[in-house]
Amino acid sequence: MVESAQYLVYLLSAALFVWGLRRLGSPATARSGNALAALAMLLAVVVTLLDRGIVSWTGIAGGLLAGAIIGALLARTVKMTAMPELVGVFNGLGGGASALVASAEFFRTFQFTWEIEMIGESALLVAARAMGGGPGLGAPGAASVALGVLVGTVTLSGSFIAFGKLKGFLPGRPVVWPLQKTLNLILFLSAVGISAVLAAGAGGVIDLGAPTVLLAALAGIALLLGIFLVLPIGGADMPVVISLLNSYSGLAASAAGFVVGNPLLIIAGALVGASGLILTQLMCRAMNRSLANVAFGAFGGTGVQAGADTGDRPVRRTTPEEAALLLAYAQSVIIVPGYGLAVAQAQHEVRKLMDLLQARDVQVRFAIHPVAGRMPGHMNVLLAEADIPYDLLVDMDDANPEFPRTDVVVVVGANDVVNPVARDPGSPIAGMPILDVDRARSVVVIKRSLSPGFAGIDNPLFYNENTFMLFMDAKEAVSSLAREVKEA
Amino acid sequence: MGEWMLGLYVFVLAMLVGFEVITKVPPTLHTPLMSGANAISGITLLGALVVAGSGSGRLAVGLAIGAVVLATVNVVGGFLVTDRMLRMFRKRD
């Protein structure tokens, strides 16, 4: 009776999660969608706390309080540029929590079956009821434990390596060493082997001598695997890694749901798993790479010089005064922000420039490439923070048909995503979807120098006759452009 | 049909619902979507609470209390930071 009520509330929570995610699909309703999901979580936690199986409160209260304080502090103090790092850390913690839940339940039930055996066959049912559980985990349960520990721990260690790469205390370039793939394969196969032994032991097929050692070994292998899988991936590929780890954190929660027999964990985990997979796929498509290529390609920032032969072709330099005139007397302007803009913290200057141009009746929009930031949609958040309305932010697919009709495109701190060489089938970035800025009437590129981007290839856009190069720091350039537009 | 099989049905169907709902989210909202989804993955907190409160076995309870802390950071931090981001999204006046 009480239990059915509990599971009905879980069902309500599951429905609210789906509804909340649906409302996250439009900027107008997104905030309420997030609030709905938070409400669903609160309901589920309260109902769980009413469970009769919970007899000891000190640890729970302390844990909840500590977690809530740390979480709130992190959420309030993080800078928007550091959002990929924070989401990475949260992914890792979620995965770690699921791994801990799976192993804790394993030890609880293992000890539990052991106690039943001591009591003897006849007392089995009575004892099982008194303890409020079933007789042991069984083989599928132990397999779920293994899966939860494996996926959760890989998420934990992988996320912290990604965090280190984003933060800069680990090298952003791909770290490679000999026999990398062989070693990973050996680690993975050992993890599968240990999982099989655990499942066979819990199913009563073999005698499980030291389950603690086995589980610790599994966690250790998973920890190494997470580190080894992310270290070889370059900094520019972090949007893919963060998305994939996001998916893993959900799948780990699902696995924990199988372990503790809670359908809400299975559902919520699957929703997150699906969300992360979709984002992973979108990011891969935006870089024209397969997931396998990201994981094993060790691409990005290796400094290979290849692609279009631009030789000693001249570039057209421009000054802020000249470029400002171009902007001030244009009818339509599209600004293409790249990560360089965020690094230079120039979002607010860009907004000022937008305001001044709008005051002169110039139509201003922003074209955003899917991998413009360090995680999916990151650039949109950075521009929203600078109070730039979201309806002026145009996705790549909608922006591309607009460029030929656009008077001036301003590229700030972006390179590979506007490199027309991607249309050349022979180039190393062939097929990568780009913003077709070279088709606009004129292009102003703000860049410190002619240095190549992450892909390490030269950009023929810079040598086009309708391209004007403004060799300056992004923030300085945009604020002088704004100053000159004001005077124009 | 056993409990495990039923769980598998629920899992696969929930994945399909997830694909269906999330495909419609526009790129502008991908970061809040990810951090909101991330907060939802803290649902593992429920499992942590049950084991941590069960009072059975020092090792199990210790691990579970650790899980309560990690999952709560994930849940509270995740929802708050998502809200902070979404508050900044505004339409043209």
mmCIF file of all heavy atoms in Angstrom, chain A residues 99-134:
data_model
loop_
_atom_site.group_PDB
_atom_site.id
_atom_site.type_symbol
_atom_site.label_atom_id
_atom_site.label_comp_id
_atom_site.label_asym_id
_atom_site.label_seq_id
_atom_site.Cartn_x
_atom_site.Cartn_y
_atom_site.Cartn_z
ATOM 1 N N ALA A 99 28.466 4.862 -9.421
ATOM 2 C CA ALA A 99 29.397 3.752 -9.160
ATOM 3 C C ALA A 99 29.376 3.386 -7.677
ATOM 4 O O ALA A 99 29.361 2.210 -7.310
ATOM 5 C CB ALA A 99 30.807 4.138 -9.597
ATOM 6 N N LEU A 100 29.335 4.407 -6.798
ATOM 7 C CA LEU A 100 29.308 4.149 -5.351
ATOM 8 C C LEU A 100 28.009 3.461 -4.943
ATOM 9 O O LEU A 100 28.016 2.532 -4.125
ATOM 10 C CB LEU A 100 29.463 5.468 -4.581
ATOM 11 C CG LEU A 100 30.860 6.078 -4.568
ATOM 12 C CD1 LEU A 100 30.843 7.420 -3.838
ATOM 13 C CD2 LEU A 100 31.840 5.132 -3.884
ATOM 14 N N VAL A 101 26.876 3.925 -5.508
ATOM 15 C CA VAL A 101 25.590 3.304 -5.171
ATOM 16 C C VAL A 101 25.607 1.835 -5.554
ATOM 17 O O VAL A 101 25.224 0.955 -4.765
ATOM 18 C CB VAL A 101 24.420 4.023 -5.890
ATOM 19 C CG1 VAL A 101 23.138 3.207 -5.776
ATOM 20 C CG2 VAL A 101 24.212 5.406 -5.319
ATOM 21 N N ALA A 102 26.095 1.545 -6.778
ATOM 22 C CA ALA A 102 26.132 0.162 -7.241
ATOM 23 C C ALA A 102 26.985 -0.689 -6.318
ATOM 24 O O ALA A 102 26.570 -1.786 -5.903
ATOM 25 C CB ALA A 102 26.650 0.095 -8.674
ATOM 26 N N SER A 103 28.179 -0.176 -5.938
ATOM 27 C CA SER A 103 29.033 -1.023 -5.093
ATOM 28 C C SER A 103 28.480 -1.140 -3.672
ATOM 29 O O SER A 103 28.556 -2.208 -3.066
ATOM 30 C CB SER A 103 30.487 -0.541 -5.083
ATOM 31 O OG SER A 103 30.587 0.801 -5.396
ATOM 32 N N ALA A 104 27.887 -0.041 -3.156
ATOM 33 C CA ALA A 104 27.315 -0.103 -1.808
ATOM 34 C C ALA A 104 26.207 -1.149 -1.749
ATOM 35 O O ALA A 104 26.142 -1.954 -0.810
ATOM 36 C CB ALA A 104 26.767 1.266 -1.402
ATOM 37 N N GLU A 105 25.358 -1.159 -2.761
ATOM 38 C CA GLU A 105 24.260 -2.136 -2.790
ATOM 39 C C GLU A 105 24.825 -3.556 -2.911
ATOM 40 O O GLU A 105 24.300 -4.492 -2.314
ATOM 41 C CB GLU A 105 23.323 -1.808 -3.958
ATOM 42 C CG GLU A 105 22.137 -2.732 -4.114
ATOM 43 C CD GLU A 105 21.097 -2.599 -3.009
ATOM 44 O OE1 GLU A 105 21.251 -1.693 -2.160
ATOM 45 O OE2 GLU A 105 20.147 -3.402 -2.985
ATOM 46 N N PHE A 106 25.912 -3.674 -3.650
ATOM 47 C CA PHE A 106 26.543 -4.991 -3.794
ATOM 48 C C PHE A 106 27.005 -5.511 -2.433
ATOM 49 O O PHE A 106 26.726 -6.648 -2.058
ATOM 50 C CB PHE A 106 27.724 -4.894 -4.757
ATOM 51 C CG PHE A 106 28.452 -6.181 -4.953
ATOM 52 C CD1 PHE A 106 27.952 -7.143 -5.811
ATOM 53 C CD2 PHE A 106 29.634 -6.441 -4.274
ATOM 54 C CE1 PHE A 106 28.615 -8.342 -6.003
ATOM 55 C CE2 PHE A 106 30.304 -7.643 -4.451
ATOM 56 C CZ PHE A 106 29.792 -8.590 -5.321
ATOM 57 N N PHE A 107 27.694 -4.661 -1.687
ATOM 58 C CA PHE A 107 28.204 -5.106 -0.388
ATOM 59 C C PHE A 107 27.069 -5.366 0.591
ATOM 60 O O PHE A 107 27.116 -6.284 1.388
ATOM 61 C CB PHE A 107 29.176 -4.071 0.188
ATOM 62 C CG PHE A 107 30.465 -4.041 -0.564
ATOM 63 C CD1 PHE A 107 30.931 -2.867 -1.117
ATOM 64 C CD2 PHE A 107 31.196 -5.201 -0.741
ATOM 65 C CE1 PHE A 107 32.117 -2.843 -1.827
ATOM 66 C CE2 PHE A 107 32.386 -5.191 -1.454
ATOM 67 C CZ PHE A 107 32.843 -4.007 -1.994
ATOM 68 N N ARG A 108 26.006 -4.557 0.512
ATOM 69 C CA ARG A 108 24.869 -4.737 1.403
ATOM 70 C C ARG A 108 24.225 -6.095 1.146
ATOM 71 O O ARG A 108 24.007 -6.881 2.065
ATOM 72 C CB ARG A 108 23.851 -3.627 1.184
ATOM 73 C CG ARG A 108 22.669 -3.721 2.110
ATOM 74 C CD ARG A 108 21.864 -2.458 2.074
ATOM 75 N NE ARG A 108 20.993 -2.410 0.906
ATOM 76 C CZ ARG A 108 19.684 -2.247 0.983
ATOM 77 N NH1 ARG A 108 19.105 -2.121 2.167
ATOM 78 N NH2 ARG A 108 18.957 -2.188 -0.084
ATOM 79 N N THR A 109 23.930 -6.389 -0.124
ATOM 80 C CA THR A 109 23.236 -7.638 -0.417
ATOM 81 C C THR A 109 24.142 -8.839 -0.274
ATOM 82 O O THR A 109 23.695 -9.909 0.086
ATOM 83 C CB THR A 109 22.656 -7.628 -1.838
ATOM 84 O OG1 THR A 109 23.635 -7.080 -2.698
ATOM 85 C CG2 THR A 109 21.399 -6.819 -1.906
ATOM 86 N N PHE A 110 25.450 -8.628 -0.527
ATOM 87 C CA PHE A 110 26.357 -9.759 -0.393
ATOM 88 C C PHE A 110 26.411 -10.205 1.063
ATOM 89 O O PHE A 110 26.252 -11.360 1.388
ATOM 90 C CB PHE A 110 27.749 -9.381 -0.890
ATOM 91 C CG PHE A 110 28.689 -10.527 -0.868
ATOM 92 C CD1 PHE A 110 28.692 -11.436 -1.905
ATOM 93 C CD2 PHE A 110 29.538 -10.730 0.204
ATOM 94 C CE1 PHE A 110 29.535 -12.524 -1.882
ATOM 95 C CE2 PHE A 110 30.386 -11.825 0.224
ATOM 96 C CZ PHE A 110 30.381 -12.717 -0.816
ATOM 97 N N GLN A 111 26.562 -9.217 1.923
ATOM 98 C CA GLN A 111 26.614 -9.498 3.349
ATOM 99 C C GLN A 111 25.298 -10.129 3.786
ATOM 100 O O GLN A 111 25.249 -11.049 4.585
ATOM 101 C CB GLN A 111 26.834 -8.169 4.063
ATOM 102 C CG GLN A 111 26.867 -8.277 5.555
ATOM 103 C CD GLN A 111 26.622 -6.924 6.169
ATOM 104 O OE1 GLN A 111 25.971 -6.070 5.584
ATOM 105 N NE2 GLN A 111 27.147 -6.726 7.350
ATOM 106 N N PHE A 112 24.238 -9.655 3.199
ATOM 107 C CA PHE A 112 22.900 -10.094 3.492
ATOM 108 C C PHE A 112 22.715 -11.579 3.170
ATOM 109 O O PHE A 112 22.288 -12.369 4.013
ATOM 110 C CB PHE A 112 21.968 -9.178 2.689
ATOM 111 C CG PHE A 112 20.519 -9.548 2.698
ATOM 112 C CD1 PHE A 112 19.943 -10.163 3.787
ATOM 113 C CD2 PHE A 112 19.738 -9.264 1.598
ATOM 114 C CE1 PHE A 112 18.618 -10.487 3.782
ATOM 115 C CE2 PHE A 112 18.412 -9.598 1.596
ATOM 116 C CZ PHE A 112 17.844 -10.223 2.686
ATOM 117 N N THR A 113 23.125 -12.016 1.959
ATOM 118 C CA THR A 113 22.973 -13.433 1.620
ATOM 119 C C THR A 113 23.819 -14.293 2.538
ATOM 120 O O THR A 113 23.428 -15.384 2.919
ATOM 121 C CB THR A 113 23.395 -13.730 0.168
ATOM 122 O OG1 THR A 113 24.494 -12.891 -0.144
ATOM 123 C CG2 THR A 113 22.272 -13.461 -0.797
ATOM 124 N N TRP A 114 24.967 -13.760 2.886
ATOM 125 C CA TRP A 114 25.853 -14.486 3.783
ATOM 126 C C TRP A 114 25.158 -14.725 5.124
ATOM 127 O O TRP A 114 25.171 -15.803 5.679
ATOM 128 C CB TRP A 114 27.117 -13.650 3.953
ATOM 129 C CG TRP A 114 28.154 -14.292 4.797
ATOM 130 C CD1 TRP A 114 28.969 -15.325 4.447
ATOM 131 C CD2 TRP A 114 28.482 -13.933 6.133
ATOM 132 N NE1 TRP A 114 29.788 -15.633 5.476
ATOM 133 C CE2 TRP A 114 29.521 -14.797 6.538
ATOM 134 C CE3 TRP A 114 28.023 -12.985 7.034
ATOM 135 C CZ2 TRP A 114 30.089 -14.729 7.798
ATOM 136 C CZ3 TRP A 114 28.593 -12.903 8.288
ATOM 137 C CH2 TRP A 114 29.606 -13.771 8.659
ATOM 138 N N GLU A 115 24.473 -13.703 5.635
ATOM 139 C CA GLU A 115 23.745 -13.846 6.904
ATOM 140 C C GLU A 115 22.643 -14.888 6.805
ATOM 141 O O GLU A 115 22.424 -15.659 7.729
ATOM 142 C CB GLU A 115 23.130 -12.491 7.309
ATOM 143 C CG GLU A 115 24.141 -11.607 8.030
ATOM 144 C CD GLU A 115 23.638 -10.206 8.249
ATOM 145 O OE1 GLU A 115 22.438 -9.974 8.023
ATOM 146 O OE2 GLU A 115 24.450 -9.365 8.628
ATOM 147 N N ILE A 116 21.942 -14.902 5.663
ATOM 148 C CA ILE A 116 20.878 -15.889 5.474
ATOM 149 C C ILE A 116 21.443 -17.303 5.541
ATOM 150 O O ILE A 116 20.891 -18.178 6.203
ATOM 151 C CB ILE A 116 20.186 -15.688 4.115
ATOM 152 C CG1 ILE A 116 19.425 -14.378 4.129
ATOM 153 C CG2 ILE A 116 19.224 -16.833 3.821
ATOM 154 C CD1 ILE A 116 18.885 -14.013 2.787
ATOM 155 N N GLU A 117 22.605 -17.490 4.889
ATOM 156 C CA GLU A 117 23.198 -18.813 4.895
ATOM 157 C C GLU A 117 23.522 -19.260 6.314
ATOM 158 O O GLU A 117 23.359 -20.411 6.679
ATOM 159 C CB GLU A 117 24.474 -18.825 4.044
ATOM 160 C CG GLU A 117 24.163 -19.029 2.569
ATOM 161 C CD GLU A 117 25.302 -18.562 1.697
ATOM 162 O OE1 GLU A 117 26.446 -18.614 2.170
ATOM 163 O OE2 GLU A 117 25.033 -18.124 0.556
ATOM 164 N N MET A 118 23.970 -18.313 7.128
ATOM 165 C CA MET A 118 24.283 -18.630 8.522
ATOM 166 C C MET A 118 23.031 -19.063 9.277
ATOM 167 O O MET A 118 23.052 -19.957 10.092
ATOM 168 C CB MET A 118 24.891 -17.416 9.219
ATOM 169 C CG MET A 118 26.217 -16.965 8.647
ATOM 170 S SD MET A 118 27.469 -18.240 8.801
ATOM 171 C CE MET A 118 27.746 -18.151 10.587
ATOM 172 N N ILE A 119 21.905 -18.395 8.981
ATOM 173 C CA ILE A 119 20.678 -18.700 9.691
ATOM 174 C C ILE A 119 20.160 -20.089 9.291
ATOM 175 O O ILE A 119 19.637 -20.836 10.107
ATOM 176 C CB ILE A 119 19.592 -17.632 9.403
ATOM 177 C CG1 ILE A 119 20.041 -16.278 9.980
ATOM 178 C CG2 ILE A 119 18.272 -18.002 10.050
ATOM 179 C CD1 ILE A 119 19.253 -15.115 9.450
ATOM 180 N N GLY A 120 20.358 -20.422 8.022
ATOM 181 C CA GLY A 120 19.922 -21.739 7.586
ATOM 182 C C GLY A 120 18.739 -21.672 6.652
ATOM 183 O O GLY A 120 18.041 -20.673 6.585
ATOM 184 N N GLU A 121 18.546 -22.767 5.947
ATOM 185 C CA GLU A 121 17.563 -22.813 4.863
ATOM 186 C C GLU A 121 16.149 -22.466 5.331
ATOM 187 O O GLU A 121 15.445 -21.689 4.705
ATOM 188 C CB GLU A 121 17.581 -24.226 4.252
ATOM 189 C CG GLU A 121 16.936 -24.318 2.890
ATOM 190 C CD GLU A 121 17.803 -23.666 1.825
ATOM 191 O OE1 GLU A 121 19.044 -23.571 2.047
ATOM 192 O OE2 GLU A 121 17.251 -23.243 0.802
ATOM 193 N N SER A 122 15.708 -23.008 6.458
ATOM 194 C CA SER A 122 14.307 -22.857 6.879
ATOM 195 C C SER A 122 13.972 -21.417 7.245
ATOM 196 O O SER A 122 12.850 -20.960 7.049
ATOM 197 C CB SER A 122 14.020 -23.757 8.066
ATOM 198 O OG SER A 122 14.927 -23.412 9.106
ATOM 199 N N ALA A 123 14.945 -20.700 7.762
ATOM 200 C CA ALA A 123 14.678 -19.339 8.227
ATOM 201 C C ALA A 123 14.827 -18.317 7.107
ATOM 202 O O ALA A 123 14.647 -17.127 7.319
ATOM 203 C CB ALA A 123 15.634 -18.981 9.356
ATOM 204 N N LEU A 124 15.111 -18.791 5.899
ATOM 205 C CA LEU A 124 15.467 -17.893 4.796
ATOM 206 C C LEU A 124 14.405 -16.842 4.522
ATOM 207 O O LEU A 124 14.689 -15.646 4.494
ATOM 208 C CB LEU A 124 15.710 -18.719 3.538
ATOM 209 C CG LEU A 124 16.396 -17.982 2.376
ATOM 210 C CD1 LEU A 124 17.331 -18.951 1.653
ATOM 211 C CD2 LEU A 124 15.414 -17.414 1.395
ATOM 212 N N LEU A 125 13.163 -17.261 4.357
ATOM 213 C CA LEU A 125 12.105 -16.321 3.990
ATOM 214 C C LEU A 125 11.846 -15.304 5.081
ATOM 215 O O LEU A 125 11.700 -14.114 4.829
ATOM 216 C CB LEU A 125 10.819 -17.073 3.661
ATOM 217 C CG LEU A 125 10.769 -17.596 2.223
ATOM 218 C CD1 LEU A 125 9.509 -18.394 1.994
ATOM 219 C CD2 LEU A 125 10.856 -16.432 1.252
ATOM 220 N N VAL A 126 11.780 -15.787 6.327
ATOM 221 C CA VAL A 126 11.554 -14.910 7.481
ATOM 222 C C VAL A 126 12.640 -13.848 7.549
ATOM 223 O O VAL A 126 12.368 -12.652 7.655
ATOM 224 C CB VAL A 126 11.544 -15.721 8.801
ATOM 225 C CG1 VAL A 126 11.193 -14.817 9.962
ATOM 226 C CG2 VAL A 126 10.572 -16.879 8.682
ATOM 227 N N ALA A 127 13.887 -14.309 7.421
ATOM 228 C CA ALA A 127 15.021 -13.392 7.518
ATOM 229 C C ALA A 127 14.962 -12.369 6.395
ATOM 230 O O ALA A 127 15.167 -11.183 6.609
ATOM 231 C CB ALA A 127 16.331 -14.164 7.460
ATOM 232 N N ALA A 128 14.611 -12.855 5.187
ATOM 233 C CA ALA A 128 14.569 -11.955 4.043
ATOM 234 C C ALA A 128 13.546 -10.862 4.281
ATOM 235 O O ALA A 128 13.786 -9.696 3.988
ATOM 236 C CB ALA A 128 14.233 -12.728 2.784
ATOM 237 N N ARG A 129 12.407 -11.208 4.830
ATOM 238 C CA ARG A 129 11.380 -10.190 5.086
ATOM 239 C C ARG A 129 11.845 -9.213 6.152
ATOM 240 O O ARG A 129 11.678 -8.012 6.012
ATOM 241 C CB ARG A 129 10.074 -10.876 5.522
ATOM 242 C CG ARG A 129 9.168 -11.036 4.335
ATOM 243 C CD ARG A 129 7.745 -11.243 4.755
ATOM 244 N NE ARG A 129 7.140 -12.139 3.771
ATOM 245 C CZ ARG A 129 6.846 -13.389 4.004
ATOM 246 N NH1 ARG A 129 7.027 -13.913 5.219
ATOM 247 N NH2 ARG A 129 6.336 -14.147 3.062
ATOM 248 N N ALA A 130 12.416 -9.777 7.193
ATOM 249 C CA ALA A 130 12.840 -8.932 8.309
ATOM 250 C C ALA A 130 13.853 -7.885 7.838
ATOM 251 O O ALA A 130 13.840 -6.750 8.290
ATOM 252 C CB ALA A 130 13.431 -9.786 9.412
ATOM 253 N N MET A 131 14.702 -8.269 6.892
ATOM 254 C CA MET A 131 15.721 -7.338 6.433
ATOM 255 C C MET A 131 15.205 -6.432 5.315
ATOM 256 O O MET A 131 15.886 -5.505 4.898
ATOM 257 C CB MET A 131 16.945 -8.111 5.907
ATOM 258 C CG MET A 131 17.524 -9.116 6.866
ATOM 259 S SD MET A 131 18.789 -8.426 7.937
ATOM 260 C CE MET A 131 19.920 -7.760 6.765
ATOM 261 N N GLY A 132 14.039 -6.714 4.835
ATOM 262 C CA GLY A 132 13.428 -5.836 3.836
ATOM 263 C C GLY A 132 14.076 -5.909 2.472
ATOM 264 O O GLY A 132 14.185 -4.916 1.775
ATOM 265 N N GLY A 133 14.510 -7.072 2.050
ATOM 266 C CA GLY A 133 15.112 -7.188 0.726
ATOM 267 C C GLY A 133 14.869 -8.547 0.122
ATOM 268 O O GLY A 133 14.161 -9.377 0.703
ATOM 269 N N GLY A 134 15.406 -8.787 -1.056
ATOM 270 C CA GLY A 134 15.280 -10.094 -1.691
ATOM 271 C C GLY A 134 16.499 -10.922 -1.365
ATOM 272 O O GLY A 134 17.472 -10.406 -0.818
#
